[in-house]
Amino acid sequence: ETPQKPRRKHRPRATVKVKRSRVMSLSRRLIPYSAELWARLGPIWRDISSASSEISVFLSPDWTEVWLQHFGDTVRPSGLVWTIGDGTPVGCALYSQQTAKLGPFNVTRLFVNACGDHLTGMEYNEIPALPGYRDAVLSDFVAYVLESGADELALTGFKSEIAATICEKWPSRSCEGYVSESPFVALNRLREEKRHYLESLSANTRSNVRRTLRAYTNHYGEPTLRRAADSNEAISWFEQMVKLHDARWKDKGKPGAFSGAHVNSFYKNLIRSSVENADGMTRMRLDLLRLQFGELATGFAFNLVYRGRVNFYQSGLAYQPHDKKLRPGLALHTLSIEHYLTEGTTLEYDFLGGEPESIQYKRSLSTDVRQLAWFELPLPTAKNAFVRWVRHSRRKLRSLTRRSESKDS
């Protein structure tokens, strides 16, 4: 249904039609940011997330609570709760607004859940809602954004089907951004089919993997993959991983995912809360893995395990420039996937996305792929039309500059 036009006054109730052709009335409640936000929102969040088997680790109560503790005073998000007539909560979300200067204009973007500019990753994002209420909650969420005074809505790492639904309800058809691939390995299916992981890959990929593992073993010794036993060991490995990770990105002239002491301390707090006493099913478990060949530490993986799904978040790899046959990422992923396949409790190994283009190593090592969206939805105003024109012009200029530099080199 086409969302209602924005009104100046706060509209506490929303009436929308769902696919079953009956009218569903929702009440919307705003919880302003304060030190007590999670104490008020957390129990509702836990109940709603526990009712969905598809909820992402980035929407888990464990991740969200630590994120709020760490970034709450900086981002100052508010909570939204949708309830039905008897007061039962059926949907919830966090949202925050960030304003940046673009030419003569201040542009205010509305972010959804535990994300924002230059903070932490967010993938498989959505508006958590009970089954049967999602369409109604999304309709009222769009209506709320239109009333909020923001210039645009940032859909960061949204599930593609949820992003498509929001776009259908949006009053203008202008949409900027991209769709990213999130390749994964269907571990449970491999177990059911009684297949080895390498058998599911192409002949070329199998050959590359075996060549890499053979070269490492011949040079340094047999491989050992181990998970950090406790939070102290995990933090020690994390610091080693960050050094390798940052060095690699510095060579590319770009900041790494862990740049900045404030962001870095968030991940250490996450480690302290999620390495021990977490099952990876009802509670998020953080796996810090270290791969060694003999005495050589080849790489570290930072994996988030929730609802039986392994989410590969980041890594730090020790490259050996003298021998191109030694591909540490290929070795680390292959042995990690075989570890989780043998473990028997995990359903998937997800490489995650975020990149506008297809990443070859992720596709070659995966069995399946999903789509995630990074969209910006501007409100239909003259100001936003000009902002879009400025952004388009800047992107075109950067593209022409890169082409010119490429020809000169």
Side-chain angles (χ1 to χ4, degrees), residues 52-115:
S52 172
S53 61
E54 300 297 325
I55 207 79
S56 159
V57 66
F58 301 101
L59 296 175
S60 68
D62 306 288
W63 175 280
T64 307
E65 182 176 10
V66 176
W67 190 92
L68 275 174
Q69 290 170 352
H70 204 77
F71 297 108
D73 287 341
T74 302
V75 179
R76 300 187 65 81
S78 297
L80 287 171
V81 176
W82 288 271
T83 59
I84 53 176
D86 63 0
T88 301
V90 297
C92 61
L94 288 169
Y95 80 93
S96 60
Q97 294 188 5
Q98 297 181 28
T99 302
K101 197 80 172 175
L102 185 64
F105 296 114
N106 288 321
V107 178
T108 300
R109 304 174 72 197
L110 191 148
F111 291 89
V112 187
N113 296 323
C115 62

Side-chain angles (χ1 to χ4, degrees), residues 357-375:
E357 67 282 343
S358 178
I359 303 300
Q360 177 58 34
Y361 89 85
K362 292 184 178 182
R363 287 300 300 269
S364 64
L365 292 174
S366 63
T367 61
D368 300 82
V369 64
R370 297 188 186 93
Q371 306 292 326
L372 301 174
W374 272 258
F375 289 166

Side-chain angles (χ1 to χ4, degrees), residues 226-262:
R226 192 165 74 83
R227 176 180 179 265
D230 54 41
S231 58
N232 290 331
E233 186 173 50
I235 287 176
S236 173
W237 289 6
F238 172 77
E239 290 171 347
Q240 296 175 58
M241 182 191 76
V242 169
K243 289 179 181 178
L244 293 170
H245 176 89
D246 286 349
R248 180 66 173 172
W249 283 98
K250 187 177 180 180
D251 289 343
K252 297 181 179 182
K254 299 179 180 179
F258 303 103
S259 58
H262 193 49

Side-chain angles (χ1 to χ4, degrees), residues 18-20 22 24 90 129-137:
V18 295
K19 291 183 178 180
R20 287 172 291 182
R22 66 182 179 86
M24 182 180 294
V90 297
L130 293 182
Y133 294 93
R134 173 175 289 171
D135 192 71
V137 168

Side-chain angles (χ1 to χ4, degrees), residues 48 95 103-104 170 174 219 244 283 285 297 306 331 344 347 381 399 409:
I48 291 175
Y95 80 93
W170 200 251
S174 58
H219 278 79
L244 293 170
R283 285 202 59 205
R285 188 183 78 216
Y306 186 61
L347 306 174
T381 64
S399 177
S409 62

Side-chain angles (χ1 to χ4, degrees), residues 19-36:
K19 291 183 178 180
R20 287 172 291 182
S21 299
R22 66 182 179 86
V23 174
M24 182 180 294
S25 180
L26 299 182
S27 294
R28 181 208 309 148
R29 177 161 55 96
L30 173 67
I31 306 177
Y33 179 74
S34 72
E36 303 301 317

Side-chain angles (χ1 to χ4, degrees), residues 4-13 28 143-144 146-148:
Q4 297 181 11
K5 294 181 180 179
R7 301 178 182 176
R8 292 183 179 272
K9 295 182 179 180
H10 178 69
R11 181 173 54 83
R13 296 186 69 84
R28 181 208 309 148
Y144 179 76
L146 295 175
E147 299 169 357
S148 68

